[in-house]
Amino acid sequence: GYGFLSENATFARRCAEEGIVFVGPPAAVIDSLGDKLAARRIAIAAGVPVIPGTDDPLPDADAAVAWAEVHGYPVMLKALFGGGGRGMRRAYDSAELREAFDAAEREASSAFGRGELFLEKLVSEARHIEVQVLGDAGGNLVHLFERDCSVQRRNQKVVEVAPAAGISDALRAALYRDALAVARHVGLVNAATVEFLVGADGGYYFIEVN
């Protein structure tokens, strides 16, 4: 699968029906991870840290503001479905959050046909680190190390650097361990990328699987 098709369960399912090997997770795994809140729950169940955020889709901007007032700004709105940086907006106060909610909802609806949003705390000065994993039908899993995808434009990766520079061996080992833990929890077969944010304080958080 290439581009957004690599995250499309219908495409993966159709490949299987036609006897074509799909280089990516099985359709059932894509289904379970395509909903980013479901992916968060999978990571939590696997014991992997996630960014503090809402447990359910936000019904409206008022709900987003209510959560942010309790947990603090800045925050990041994200589309529940889709990717590629669309449907994502930062907000540093309630007025900005209300405006961002409407814009993100419109963009997500236009891009993915689904406008549902959720909210997370914004991890400032973070690095975007990805770990490639491979699994076979026998339940064997390996990682293929990490790459730094922090150079981005409009939340889209521009440059990928491997290996990631300036991270400790302990952090690198933790990312490998947790990437495999998420993959194992969903029964991954074939290839996938487990994505993390690494904060300036060295703390790290699961983002999603692609």
Side-chain angles (χ1 to χ4, degrees):
Y2 180 79
F4 286 127
L5 285 177
S6 67
E7 306 170 25
N8 190 309
T10 301
F11 180 72
R13 193 171 290 110
R14 184 60 186 273
C15 285
E17 291 169 356
E18 298 295 333
I20 298 170
V21 175
F22 176 76
V23 181
V29 174
I30 296 175
D31 279 331
S32 67
L33 294 171
D35 176 337
K36 290 182 172 56
L37 286 178
R40 279 172 55 89
R41 288 191 286 270
I42 288 168
I44 292 168
V48 177
V50 299
I51 303 169
T54 55
D55 295 323
D56 299 298
L58 295 163
D60 50 38
D62 288 340
V65 170
W67 190 91
E69 294 294 339
V70 171
H71 297 275
Y73 292 93
V75 294
M76 174 75 84
L77 278 167
K78 292 184 178 180
L80 192 59
F81 300 92
R86 298 179 183 178
M88 296 177 64
R89 294 289 190 283
R90 300 181 181 194
Y92 293 86
D93 57 43
S94 60
E96 194 171 17
L97 181 53
R98 290 184 186 279
E99 182 178 346
F101 189 95
D102 292 338
E105 188 175 49
R106 287 195 303 270
E107 185 176 48
S109 296
S110 175
F112 313 120
R114 301 286 298 268
E116 296 96 322
L117 304 173
F118 69 104
L119 197 63
E120 290 181 338
K121 289 283 292 181
L122 177 64
V123 181
S124 300
E125 300 180 9
R127 297 173 65 182
H128 186 122
I129 307 293
E130 300 182 350
V131 178
Q132 192 75 41
V133 292
L134 288 175
D136 67 16
N140 300 297
L141 285 166
V142 296
H143 68 77
L144 299 179
F145 307 97
E146 86 291 344
R147 54 185 180 260
D148 190 325
C149 307
S150 303
V151 179
Q152 300 187 4
R153 181 174 182 268
R154 297 179 180 174
N155 298 308
Q156 283 274 54
K157 294 174 288 186
V158 177
V159 177
E160 299 185 2
V161 179
I167 65 174
S168 68
D169 289 342
L171 175 57
R172 187 174 277 109
L175 296 176
Y176 297 161
R177 179 197 66 217
D178 284 353
L180 292 174
V182 171
R184 188 172 297 110
H185 198 82
V186 296
L188 176 73
V189 177
N190 218 312
T193 301
V194 184
E195 303 183 16
F196 298 92
L197 277 186
V198 177
D201 61 357
Y204 68 93
Y205 309 93
F206 167 85
I207 307 173
E208 61 183 343
V209 180
N210 288 313

